[in-house]
């Protein structure tokens, strides 16, 4: 018997895709390209190249950073206001090759937690450029000092996006977002990718698939799947409908059993 898949699930609720921080006008006119392309995904061979090259999107050089901030309960409102102000400035400043993809507070899972997802266009060089500029940005340094007074702890990860997942784009709200996080056994990332390249096509009917990522720096062998629903009831109906489609159950089974993953999973 293989152990269960480790995963976390977190639930967020926002009026728009970015939640706390901004509204973007860059809406996609072809948001179905991600799942359409996934219908023709070929099974990758783990022996041929690094996971990051085999599983990530070749047509982009985007790098993502996800931040988890545990905030003092009495400071959450002030934290949200301060974070939103600074995020807006960075997002709109063309000198910084980064943008806020989403920013949320958790409803279920870790309480009094803020989660931020950043995209660096240009990969690691773009991240390095941002960090170097921020080190000399006096306003940002003052922001960090003020923010530190409101935090209990914080952590982050650097991520790449799976080639077969949808591009994470702004969407009309209000929406509830669910992040399901899986800690994989080392050596099973390729197998995970092969199964989910087929499974994702079963989860496009209600446009619920937002983005899929795997870690590069920070906690390793971690996968994050981000979903969007109108409500908890919509989430239940959408997930139940997937089980009525032939093939979904097999992909879920083989993801959990064949991949031989270790027991830790979480949803928020």
């Amino acid at each position: 018997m293989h152990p269960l898949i480790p995963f976390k699930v977190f639930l967020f609720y926002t009026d728009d895709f970015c939640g706390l921080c901004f509204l973007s006008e860059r809406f996609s006119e072809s948001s179905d390209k991600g799942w359409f392309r996934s219908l023709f995904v070929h099974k990758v061979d783990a022996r041929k190249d690094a996971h990051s090259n085999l599983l990530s999107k070749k047509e982009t050089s985007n790098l993502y950073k996800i931040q988890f901030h545990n905030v003092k309960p009495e400071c959450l409102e002030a934290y949200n206001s301060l974070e939103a102000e600074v995020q807006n400035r960075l997002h709109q400043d063309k000198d910084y090759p980064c943008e806020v993809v989403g920013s949320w507070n958790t409803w279920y899972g870790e309480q009094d937690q803020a989660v931020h997802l950043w995209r660096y266009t240009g990969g690691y060089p773009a991240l390095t450029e941002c960090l170097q500029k921020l080190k000399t940005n006096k306003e940002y340094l003052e922001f960090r000092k003020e923010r530190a007074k409101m935090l209990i702890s914080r952590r982050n990860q650097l991520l790449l996006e799976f080639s077969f997942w949808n591009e994470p784009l702004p969407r009309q709200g209000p929406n509830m977002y669910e992040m399901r996080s899986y800690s994989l056994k080392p050596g099973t990332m390729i197998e995970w990718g092969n199964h989910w390249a087929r499974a994702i096509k079963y989860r496009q009917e209600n446009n619920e698939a937002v983005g899929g990522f795997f870690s590069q720096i920070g906690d390793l062998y971690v996968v994050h799947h981000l979903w969007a629903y109108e409500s908890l009831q919509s989430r239940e109906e959408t997930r139940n409908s997937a089980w009525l489609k032939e093939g979904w159950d097999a992909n879920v089974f083989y993801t959990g059993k064949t991949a031989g993953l270790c027991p830790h999973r979480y949803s928020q």
Side-chain angles (χ1 to χ4, degrees):
M1 291 292 292
H2 291 291
L4 295 175
I5 288 184
F7 77 91
K8 292 186 177 183
V9 180
F10 295 82
L11 293 178
F12 319 99
Y13 183 84
T14 63
D15 290 328
D16 53 74
F17 182 69
C18 305
L20 304 176
C21 51
F22 75 101
L23 288 171
S24 173
E25 296 179 355
R26 289 171 291 174
F27 287 90
S28 172
E29 296 180 357
S30 56
S31 59
D32 60 341
K33 287 183 179 180
W35 78 264
F36 183 79
R37 183 170 56 244
S38 73
L39 298 178
F40 303 97
V41 169
H42 296 289
K43 185 175 182 179
V44 297
D45 189 335
R47 299 168 296 177
K48 299 297 184 182
D49 205 345
H51 292 175
S52 57
N53 294 329
L54 290 170
L55 294 173
S56 62
K57 293 184 178 180
K58 300 296 188 297
E59 65 271 26
T60 68
S61 57
N62 292 331
L63 177 70
Y64 292 83
K65 179 174 70 175
I66 190 167
Q67 298 173 305
F68 300 92
H69 290 174
N70 292 314
V71 185
K72 297 176 182 178
E74 67 274 15
C75 297
L76 187 58
E77 184 175 349
Y79 167 90
N80 287 341
S81 298
L82 181 64
E83 189 74 33
E85 179 183 351
V86 174
Q87 286 181 0
N88 271 315
R89 291 182 185 178
L90 291 178
H91 181 78
Q92 296 171 7
D93 193 332
K94 301 303 181 182
D95 288 336
Y96 292 87
C98 64
E99 58 182 333
V100 186
V101 177
S103 190
W104 306 273
N105 289 146
T106 57
W107 268 21
Y108 303 102
E110 293 281 349
Q111 297 293 286
D112 304 309
Q113 185 181 75
V115 179
H116 311 294
L117 183 63
W118 294 81
R119 177 163 49 212
Y120 296 87
T121 304
Y124 291 109
L127 172 65
T128 301
E129 180 184 346
C130 283
L131 292 178
Q132 290 176 341
K133 289 181 176 179
L134 290 174
K135 286 180 180 179
T136 59
N137 186 324
K138 293 183 179 180
E139 288 187 3
Y140 182 78
L141 295 177
E142 287 300 316
F143 153 73
R144 283 177 58 94
K145 290 181 181 178
E146 189 64 26
R147 185 186 65 181
K149 301 174 185 177
M150 306 177 184
L151 295 179
I152 299 172
S153 64
R154 59 193 178 99
R155 62 186 176 90
N156 60 24
Q157 294 174 332
L158 294 183
L159 314 170
L160 294 176
E161 56 184 326
F162 283 111
S163 60
F164 48 85
W165 264 82
N166 303 31
E167 184 79 15
L169 295 168
R171 57 179 66 200
Q172 297 290 350
N175 291 297
M176 183 199 74
Y177 291 87
E178 177 182 23
M179 186 171 67
R180 302 177 72 88
S181 300
Y182 306 80
S183 298
L184 277 61
K185 181 179 178 181
T188 61
M189 184 66 74
I190 294 296
E191 192 166 6
W192 175 277
N194 284 330
H195 286 301
W196 268 94
R198 295 188 293 269
I200 192 62
K201 68 178 183 287
Y202 298 104
R203 298 297 307 275
Q204 300 289 341
E205 188 173 297
N206 294 319
N207 194 30
E208 68 266 28
V210 176
F213 312 90
F214 60 99
S215 62
Q216 286 291 285
I217 297 179
D219 293 333
L220 296 177
Y221 309 108
V222 174
V223 170
H224 300 291
H225 290 175
L226 188 60
W227 308 91
Y229 307 98
E230 292 181 359
S231 63
L232 285 173
Q233 182 62 34
S234 171
R235 172 184 179 272
E236 181 180 17
E237 293 170 356
T238 300
R239 288 174 56 80
N240 287 342
S241 68
W243 287 98
L244 301 177
K245 300 172 183 176
E246 184 177 356
W248 170 252
D249 56 343
N251 278 292
V252 173
F253 174 82
Y254 285 113
T255 300
K257 298 297 183 181
T258 310
L261 310 176
C262 33
H264 182 84
R265 43 188 178 172
Y266 200 76
S267 167
Q268 73 179 31

